[in-house]
Amino acid sequence: MREHTVLRVVARLIIPPIMIFALYVQFHGDYSPGGGFQAGVIFASAIILYGLIFGVEAARAAIPPAALRIGASLGVLIYGGTGVATMLAGGNFLDYDQLAHDPVHGQHYGLLIVEFGVGLTVASIMIAIFYVFAGRGRVRESDE
């Protein structure tokens, strides 16, 4: 890949705001449009941009595939674990009212926790899909 100085400089300037915007969408998803899925895709787009500009191997060094497997699994466990926790507290699956002393607070906590799990899973899977497609046809040293 040829050195594209302008693209590299612009990417270094724009990737952090993309990640901050993903956090904004993540934590304001219960008050405004957005949430875990949208935040996960936005966060993954920052990593994909990094991989496109600096190379897939640089992106894999920054976020290894093993971390993506853990992130995807952890996100599903957070989502499901929240439902199990509400059942253990005496409610139905994902009955957020059971998560706090006040049903309104319980709803808020439940949404934040579940949306975080969704965001973590979506970001991990999107980046993993990018790694698979971007690495097609190349033999890595670990595969030999």
Side-chain angles (χ1 to χ4, degrees):
M1 182 173 161
R2 291 185 353 210
E3 294 293 321
H4 296 283
T5 307
V6 174
L7 288 177
R8 288 174 179 258
V9 169
V10 170
R12 287 177 198 243
L13 290 174
I14 201 168
I15 288 173
I18 291 172
M19 291 179 167
I20 291 171
F21 182 65
L23 290 175
Y24 171 79
V25 170
Q26 173 74 42
F27 292 112
H28 286 84
D30 51 338
Y31 296 119
S32 62
F37 185 86
Q38 293 86 347
V41 171
I42 293 168
F43 187 84
S45 71
I47 304 302
I48 291 169
L49 175 64
Y50 182 81
L52 290 173
I53 301 297
F54 296 99
V56 178
E57 293 306 318
R60 281 190 178 142
I63 301 180
L68 296 175
R69 286 190 294 274
I70 292 169
S73 302
L74 186 62
V76 171
L77 286 174
I78 289 171
Y79 187 95
T82 304
V84 171
T86 59
M87 288 173 55
L88 292 175
N92 294 324
F93 187 75
L94 293 177
D95 182 12
Y96 303 138
D97 295 348
Q98 305 296 321
L99 294 177
H101 65 291
D102 180 28
V104 174
H105 287 119
Q107 289 287 325
H108 183 72
Y109 297 149
L111 281 172
L112 283 175
I113 294 168
V114 165
E115 292 294 335
F116 177 74
V118 170
L120 184 61
T121 301
V122 168
S124 298
I125 296 299
M126 292 297 292
I127 296 167
I129 290 170
F130 170 72
Y131 285 174
V132 168
F133 283 124
R136 272 188 87 148
R138 296 188 187 121
V139 177
R140 293 190 314 247
E141 294 144 12
S142 62
D143 292 341
E144 293 178 347

